[in-house]
Amino acid sequence: MSVEADWFLRAHPEVTTIEALLPDCNGVMRGKWVPRHKLGKIFGGELKLPKTALSLDIWGRDVEELVFATGDADGICLPVEGSLLPTPWSPDGQHGQIMLSMFDGDGAPYMGDPRHILMQVVSRFKAAGWRPVVAAELEFSLVTWDRDIPAHTCPSPVGSGPVGGNTYGLDVLNHHRQMMEDLRVACEIQDLPFDGVVKESAPSQYEINMQHVDDPVKAARQIIMMKRLIKGVAAKHGLIASFMAKPFENEAGNGMHVHCSVLNEKGINIFDDGTDKGTPLLHQAIGGCLTYMAESVAIFAPTYNAYRRFQKGCHAPTFPSWGYENRTVAIRVPASSPISRRLEHRVAGADANPYLLFAAILSGMLEGINENLSPGGPISGDGYAQEEASLPIYMPDAVRMFKESDFIRNALGSEMQRIFTLSKEQEIDEFRRRITTLEYQSFLEKL
């Protein structure tokens, strides 16, 4: 048995079950529960799952084309170092968790695993002598929802007043004081970079700030774990913590804003020129993000619901734009000391897979630098009012652009491009078949 596994079992005799977790292309956890005495077999490479487990649609259904094409072959699931941890929200603390990564039978990384995709992108920065630094702002909603009562067709926000969302309100946080304290303690136990929580603008909407990390692969894993932790702690308090991109009509949706800078071999920020403007490399990185933004929207908005964010008043950019200290554009350069100069990517919803999200953003930045792409002039004032929407705001358009994109093929690889496309096309077909309540209300008796 590995040293990590042996230490964990000795330190946590109360743990009876290990939840072995493998994030799929949607960022949804797949895997299995394993009794504690079988933990050594996971570290020994004896845990296998079908490779198609990483390409399931959002409902967990196989994409038949992939199953038949591959014979539904297994991949080997190996543990991610440092991910074996207790889950403090589990009943009586009897569960632990470990993150997995998938490999082919010959030991090569399976490139349908989002973690390997991001590792490959980071390796391109390393080849240039650079180290990306990332941080995320993660929004979620606290709701209740009784699916068994027909009248409750929508979730209900929790802890907000009848008008408005009480943005930055401390009294609302105090209303959930015990849950927030449990969340903070759970983050300490799981060594997650919790950097504070604020009340956001929509009813029952909150934002968790995560610390900057100079390892995007580790940061993506921390976001996956943070989302799971928040949902687990909320459930313990009888609530649903939802990262659905647009849970409420006429309210701002849940986003995942990503801050990025790049350090050279000496640890110096390559975007810092000692001024507020930033270096040409910063502008080229922004230029790359803007150039390839439309082709990447399927990653930023991976669900059918996510496209409901892209409308007036919902704080989601609908065209490639940038500006200094401007929250109405797609790429913001925050006010900061020059040493902290960075870009903030503001397009993605909280439902995005952080591995693929970081991979798309960092690939755009690197292409912009390599191709010396100009971002054009920065936008001042209300960016939403200055240009017409040019990003795809309907899921079929976004998936088609993703499917046909040479940039995506080079950035994420042909395997990920293929399985992600097929999974999303299957989801689109399902939504097309469904008839909504609004359609019945509009047409059933009138036509």
Side-chain angles (χ1 to χ4, degrees), residues 157-175:
V158 176
S160 294
V163 178
N166 201 2
T167 309
Y168 301 118
L170 296 176
D171 56 330
V172 182
L173 292 177
N174 193 56
H175 180 77

Side-chain angles (χ1 to χ4, degrees), residues 117 119-129 363 366 410-413:
I117 300 300
M119 291 177 70
Q120 189 174 75
V121 172
V122 171
S123 71
R124 296 172 192 151
F125 279 83
K126 290 181 178 178
S363 294
L366 194 58
N410 294 330
L412 307 185

Side-chain angles (χ1 to χ4, degrees), residues 125 179 229 435:
F125 279 83
M179 183 200 141
L229 181 152
I435 302 173

